[in-house]
Amino acid sequence: MALRPAYRTAKGGLLGVYDAPTLAVDDTLEVRGQGQTGEDQNAIQRLTPVRARSRTLGRLFATLFLFDLACWCWLVIVDGVGIFAPASIMRVAIGVVLGGQFLVFALTNWQARTGRSGSFSTFLSDGGNVWPR
């Protein structure tokens, strides 16, 4: 019975995400030209700090993920620890968290760069979107 309020809140939040509007490709902020309005310029200026912060943090988490992956490889290959040993599982869990955070910041950077709230699958459909710019 205690889970009902949490379930209702989560369901309401997911419905809000599914109803989020998306812009057509021609209406994105990345397209620069004569069709831009003053409102577009203001949006670009407001999103510039978001792009810079998400780019910096995305690259940080990507570097930390690669370092954690190297530590896991060292642990398994050189030290001979089993893949299902607690130390190995801990390293993999840390890597999953760091890789997930990298993807979150890359998605944030892509949304700030394009000005649309596209889905995660749309974001991943082009591999060039993953590395923050």
Short mmCIF file of all heavy atoms in Angstrom, two decimals, residues 1-8:
data_model
loop_
_atom_site.label_atom_id
_atom_site.label_comp_id
_atom_site.label_asym_id
_atom_site.label_seq_id
_atom_site.Cartn_x
_atom_site.Cartn_y
_atom_site.Cartn_z
N MET A 1 0.81 -1.20 0.00
CA MET A 1 0.00 0.00 0.00
C MET A 1 0.86 1.26 0.00
O MET A 1 0.44 2.28 -0.50
CB MET A 1 -0.91 0.01 1.24
CG MET A 1 -1.91 -1.10 1.29
SD MET A 1 -2.99 -0.96 -0.13
CE MET A 1 -3.76 -2.52 -0.06
N ALA A 2 2.05 1.18 0.56
CA ALA A 2 2.90 2.36 0.63
C ALA A 2 3.50 2.71 -0.72
O ALA A 2 3.99 3.82 -0.91
CB ALA A 2 4.02 2.14 1.65
N LEU A 3 3.46 1.79 -1.66
CA LEU A 3 4.04 2.06 -2.97
C LEU A 3 3.10 2.79 -3.92
O LEU A 3 3.53 3.27 -4.96
CB LEU A 3 4.49 0.75 -3.62
CG LEU A 3 5.62 0.01 -2.91
CD1 LEU A 3 5.91 -1.31 -3.61
CD2 LEU A 3 6.87 0.86 -2.88
N ARG A 4 1.85 2.88 -3.58
CA ARG A 4 0.88 3.53 -4.48
C ARG A 4 1.21 4.99 -4.77
O ARG A 4 1.17 5.40 -5.94
CB ARG A 4 -0.53 3.40 -3.92
CG ARG A 4 -1.12 2.04 -4.12
CD ARG A 4 -2.55 2.02 -3.66
NE ARG A 4 -3.06 0.66 -3.74
CZ ARG A 4 -4.19 0.28 -3.20
NH1 ARG A 4 -4.93 1.16 -2.54
NH2 ARG A 4 -4.59 -0.96 -3.31
N PRO A 5 1.52 5.82 -3.75
CA PRO A 5 1.85 7.23 -4.08
C PRO A 5 3.09 7.34 -4.97
O PRO A 5 3.12 8.15 -5.89
CB PRO A 5 2.10 7.87 -2.73
CG PRO A 5 1.39 7.01 -1.74
CD PRO A 5 1.45 5.62 -2.31
N ALA A 6 4.10 6.51 -4.71
CA ALA A 6 5.30 6.56 -5.54
C ALA A 6 4.99 6.11 -6.96
O ALA A 6 5.50 6.68 -7.93
CB ALA A 6 6.40 5.69 -4.93
N TYR A 7 4.17 5.10 -7.10
CA TYR A 7 3.80 4.61 -8.43
C TYR A 7 3.02 5.67 -9.20
O TYR A 7 3.28 5.90 -10.38
CB TYR A 7 2.96 3.33 -8.30
CG TYR A 7 2.45 2.82 -9.62
CD1 TYR A 7 3.31 2.20 -10.52
CD2 TYR A 7 1.12 2.99 -9.98
CE1 TYR A 7 2.84 1.74 -11.73
CE2 TYR A 7 0.65 2.54 -11.20
CZ TYR A 7 1.51 1.92 -12.07
OH TYR A 7 1.05 1.48 -13.28
N ARG A 8 2.08 6.34 -8.52
CA ARG A 8 1.31 7.40 -9.19
C ARG A 8 2.21 8.55 -9.62
O ARG A 8 2.07 9.10 -10.71
CB ARG A 8 0.20 7.91 -8.26
CG ARG A 8 -1.05 7.07 -8.37
CD ARG A 8 -2.17 7.67 -7.56
NE ARG A 8 -2.11 6.94 -6.28
CZ ARG A 8 -2.32 7.45 -5.09
NH1 ARG A 8 -2.67 8.70 -4.98
NH2 ARG A 8 -2.23 6.73 -4.01
#
